[in-house]
Amino acid sequence: MKALVQPRALFIGLSVLCFIAFWLSLALGPVSLPLVDIARAGLRLLGFPVAGAGLEQAELIVGQIRMPRTLLGLAVGAVLALSGVAMQGLFRNPLADPGLVGVSSGAALGAAVAIVGGAAFGGLPEVFAPYLLSACAFIGGLGVTAMVYRLGRRDGQTSVAIMLLAGIALTALASSTIGLFTYLADDATLRTLTFWNLGSLNGASYARLWPLLLVCALIIGWLPRRAKALNALLLGESEARHLGVDVESLKRELIFCTALGVGAAVSAAGMIGFIGLIVPHLVRLLAGPDHRVLLPASALAGASLLLFADLFARLVLAPAELPIGIVTAFLGGPFFLYLLVKGRT
């Protein structure tokens, strides 16, 4: 596959797009802010003595509401896109998705246990409720992924085909368990569970943001170091071994990074689909299959796409807010059908 865009031009374009998405996410909302006020409010947040009329309101809006939400969108979009690249490289299939290893369904199951179980015990203190929900979702995602990996191991080797089948089976089992919790939930708990499964950046806060930023930094720092090994894996496992790649170690790293990243993203923002499918495929069409370009470019594109989707979710029904998972599904569903039709032709 030949690259349609040179890497330098692609990175410049995606960086500009990400900056525009970042700026619009801070500027637009029930109260619109000009770029100058955003910049001055940002300087005040950093401790610089900037004076000006009305900056207190801008500082409050940017610092306490929009900045954590925007940073959360950047981190979640980048992590989901990188996880999609990792899974597509592992399965050597551009239609692969992070949900194939069960991490998304496991995280949703963990969240359902926290929401319905907490309500069954009379509710949890408000101080601990968000952290318990995130922790249960994260543990659920890691747990299901570990089961998928364990089922895929045989005679010291990891079978990608068996992992795929195990992921489908455990995803179905987790979905049926979530359905049981949904049936047992009362009206208030059912509403909470439903909206969490639809995904949203509305509950962003610095306390929930820092763990995800740490995970995002680890994945962004680690996966590009395995770009050459992923390029070799595209040739096949036997060929990659002949080129000196430890294929089994690479599989473990890809699965662990995906479970860690998607688990953290889902625990912070709920279920947001199709980012891990759409973004890597679009970037691959523009830049080709070289993972040295594909990984960082997908991180930038994923962050930008999720911020634009969040902007649409915030503004289209203002002052109400559309769940972001609905927006990404409306984008991803037709695109996935297009890929299927294109693959047939």
Side-chain angles (χ1 to χ4, degrees):
M1 182 185 296
K2 185 179 179 181
L4 298 178
V5 182
Q6 292 299 317
R8 178 176 296 181
L10 179 66
F11 284 127
I12 292 174
L14 288 176
S15 298
V16 172
L17 185 67
C18 192
F19 174 78
I20 293 174
F22 183 83
W23 166 50
L24 291 177
S25 182
L26 294 178
L28 300 181
V31 178
S32 298
L33 299 174
L35 180 59
V36 175
D37 286 355
I38 295 173
R40 293 164 70 185
L43 290 175
R44 290 190 61 167
L45 290 171
L46 294 175
F48 292 95
V50 179
L55 278 185
E56 291 78 8
Q57 182 185 16
E59 182 181 1
L60 177 64
I61 293 173
V62 171
Q64 299 302 318
I65 300 174
R66 295 184 186 170
M67 183 62 76
R69 182 175 187 141
T70 301
L71 293 177
L72 179 63
L74 287 172
V76 169
V79 163
L80 292 178
L82 286 172
S83 300
V85 175
M87 286 296 96
Q88 291 174 10
L90 175 64
F91 289 99
R92 298 191 299 279
N93 189 330
L95 298 180
D97 183 82
L100 287 177
V101 293
V103 58
S104 298
S105 59
L109 177 59
V113 170
I115 294 172
V116 180
F121 287 100
L124 297 169
E126 293 186 2
V127 177
F128 300 108
Y131 300 100
L132 180 64
L133 175 61
S134 299
C136 288
F138 185 67
I139 292 171
L142 288 180
V144 172
T145 306
M147 292 177 63
V148 170
Y149 177 74
R150 182 66 184 86
L151 291 171
R153 294 284 292 177
R154 179 177 296 177
D155 300 328
Q157 302 291 323
T158 304
S159 172
V160 173
I162 294 178
M163 281 180 51
L164 175 61
L165 295 175
I168 294 173
L170 289 176
T171 296
L173 182 60
S175 298
S176 63
T177 308
I178 293 171
L180 176 62
F181 280 116
T182 302
Y183 176 77
L184 296 175
D186 57 30
D187 290 342
T189 306
L190 179 60
R191 181 178 177 83
T192 302
L193 181 60
T194 301
F195 275 92
W196 190 90
N197 281 324
L198 292 175
S200 176
L201 304 181
N202 191 30
S205 64
Y206 290 112
R208 299 177 65 179
L209 177 63
W210 298 125
L212 178 60
L213 290 180
L214 178 60
V215 170
C216 183
L218 290 173
I219 294 177
I220 289 176
W222 181 255
L223 278 181
R225 298 176 59 185
R226 310 300 287 159
K228 292 183 178 180
L230 281 167
N231 286 341
L233 191 62
L234 291 176
L235 303 173
E237 293 187 15
S238 299
E239 290 78 2
R241 289 191 181 94
H242 287 306
L243 292 173
V245 176
D246 188 344
V247 175
E248 292 304 313
S249 176
L250 178 62
K251 289 179 181 178
R252 287 193 297 270
E253 291 174 14
L254 294 177
I255 294 170
F256 176 75
C257 285
T258 300
L260 187 65
V262 177
V266 171
S267 67
M271 300 287 287
I272 299 176
F274 286 104
I275 296 294
L277 172 65
I278 297 174
V279 172
H281 198 88
L282 285 176
V283 176
R284 190 178 287 107
L285 291 175
L286 294 174
D290 188 352
H291 286 85
R292 293 173 296 179
V293 178
L294 185 59
L295 284 165
S298 294
L300 287 172
S304 304
L305 178 61
L306 193 59
L307 284 185
F308 280 121
D310 181 55
L311 270 172
F312 183 83
R314 277 192 280 165
L315 300 178
V316 67
L317 296 178
E321 181 175 321
L322 190 68
I324 194 171
I326 295 177
V327 179
T328 57
F330 270 120
L331 292 174
F335 183 77
F336 188 75
L337 292 175
Y338 164 75
L339 295 181
L340 293 179
V341 173
K342 184 179 179 182
R344 289 179 58 189
T345 57

